Amino acid sequence: MTQSSAPAAFDVCAVGNAIVDVLAPCEPAFLDAQGLTPGSMQLVDADRSAALYAAMAAGVEASGGSAGNTVAGVGSFGGRAAYIGKVADDQLGGVFTHDIHAVGVHFATPPLTGDATGVCMINVTPDGQRTMCTFLGAANQLTVADIDADLIGASEIVYLEGYLFDPAPARAAFEAAAAAAHAAGRKVAITLSDSFVVHRWRAELLQFIEASADIVLANEAELHALFESEDFDAAAAHLGRIVDIAAVTRGAAGSVVFGAGGTERVEVAACPVEKVVDTTGAGDQYAAGFLLGLARGLSLEDAGRLGSLAAAEVIAHWGPRPMTSLEKLAQDAGLRLTPA
């Protein structure tokens, strides 16, 4: 891939499922009663989504979607972010659009008429673990026609949400975005999103990563699923060899970052958190800090530190997006947002 010489208007442009989250506390027994695997994400239809909503405890609504959360985090760092995703012209679609504009993210994908905005039911157990049931709705209707090649070409890094491997039309849009990014000399990043997604599409994901991805973000479970191996070091080294940059998060153990085709390995510590309240969005916010750091030309270690800072902020409260300025937190912690 030829590196673009044109200055980027945006640090990160994300392509993802535009979703509104409904978060509620629950006990493990509730998950058992609903037949839900703790810590999983599964797709559900409108009827199952409505039934689960009726059974859940009182909760809060917050704009979400994995890649949407990430660009909200980029904006909180003071970065320039854009988003491509599909909502409907309904009340929740208005909520999503308002929220993403409010954090300074460019979002101009036309809404869909005659459908419902996607919603994710998130049940959070006392240990902070989240179990998600997603009705994609309009998000499922993202198509190649929604991919703005000019916007993609004006973004330093294009970030693709692995959940888009589930619906076929969205996967085609996903691939078109990657092609547009490389045609413009930009970097393509992908998040594996969920180990269940990896199990469903392992061969396709590997093929895409090897052919089109420059940067991969994953957690430990997703990494093991991708290479069908329980040997963390071997799997992580394998991922590092097939892309330019890879970051694997390990919860409280921090993250491991690989660069230069796996020849550079950096261990990044997790930031301490007084109490883990809700892990929803932890990986999304790690991606926000990490990708912003890469877009700004920071070292792998400094980019990883920004990721750890953002993840620590979001797991200390309910909801998948920052409630405190990440830019200020970084400044207070003495972390760089631009190269020295």
Side-chain angles (χ1 to χ4, degrees):
M1 183 193 73
T2 302
Q3 184 69 30
S4 175
S5 60
F10 299 98
D11 297 301
V12 179
C13 176
V15 182
N17 285 326
I19 301 288
V20 176
D21 293 335
V22 177
L23 300 102
C26 79
E27 295 297 327
F30 177 81
L31 301 180
D32 289 339
Q34 294 293 324
L36 301 176
T37 302
S40 68
M41 193 292 289
Q42 62 177 280
L43 299 177
V44 297
D45 61 20
D47 290 342
R48 173 63 170 140
S49 179
L52 186 60
Y53 180 74
M56 287 167 60
V60 297
E61 292 179 356
S63 293
S66 175
N69 296 335
T70 294
V71 287
V74 172
S76 184
F77 271 115
R80 303 159 301 167
Y83 182 72
I84 297 172
K86 204 75 169 175
V87 297
D89 58 352
D90 57 5
Q91 182 178 353
L92 289 181
V95 168
F96 184 95
T97 301
H98 171 272
D99 288 352
I100 204 162
H101 285 162
V103 293
V105 175
H106 174 84
F107 174 52
T109 310
L112 192 66
T113 301
D115 206 327
T117 295
V119 61
C120 181
M121 305 299 174
I122 305 175
N123 285 281
V124 185
T125 44
D127 61 358
Q129 186 180 60
R130 79 282 187 276
T131 301
M132 302 183 291
C133 293
T134 303
F135 167 60
L136 287 172
N140 195 28
Q141 303 304 313
L142 185 76
T143 70
V144 172
D146 295 309
I147 299 302
D148 183 338
D150 291 337
L151 179 62
I152 295 287
S155 305
E156 195 70 42
I157 296 173
V158 178
Y159 180 57
L160 305 173
E161 182 182 311
Y163 286 128
L164 288 173
F165 262 77
D166 274 306
R171 193 194 304 184
F174 182 109
E175 292 170 345
H182 282 152
R186 304 300 186 183
K187 296 287 188 182
V188 173
I190 180 176
T191 171
L192 298 187
S193 292
D194 185 276
S195 58
F196 287 79
V197 172
V198 179
H199 285 303
R200 285 193 293 272
W201 303 108
R202 178 179 174 274
E204 291 85 352
L205 278 166
L206 270 173
Q207 182 180 24
F208 179 85
I209 288 168
E210 292 177 345
S212 301
D214 305 294
I215 303 160
V216 173
L217 293 101
N219 65 27
E220 208 166 351
E222 294 155 6
L223 177 75
H224 291 315
L226 185 65
F227 295 110
E228 297 182 326
S229 169
E230 292 304 313
D231 185 330
F232 175 83
D233 288 330
H238 189 171
L239 180 61
R241 287 193 299 270
I242 64 175
V243 292
D244 294 341
I245 296 172
V248 183
T249 56
R250 310 187 76 182
S255 60
V256 181
V257 181
F258 292 88
T263 60
E264 182 180 359
R265 174 176 171 144
V266 178
E267 303 272 349
V268 181
C271 291
V273 178
E274 185 174 330
K275 177 178 172 54
V276 175
V277 175
D278 172 22
T279 58
T280 307
D284 302 334
Q285 296 311 320
Y286 180 93
F290 186 69
L291 293 175
L292 178 68
L294 295 183
R296 296 281 180 88
L298 299 185
S299 68
L300 296 181
E301 183 174 6
D302 286 343
R305 286 175 175 171
L306 291 179
S308 291
L309 178 81
E313 189 281 338
V314 83
I315 65 176
H317 60 72
W318 280 88
R321 297 185 178 183
M323 290 187 174
T324 302
S325 166
L326 294 177
E327 182 177 22
K328 185 177 187 305
L329 288 179
Q331 291 169 348
D332 291 347
L335 298 181
R336 294 191 185 99
L337 288 169
T338 55

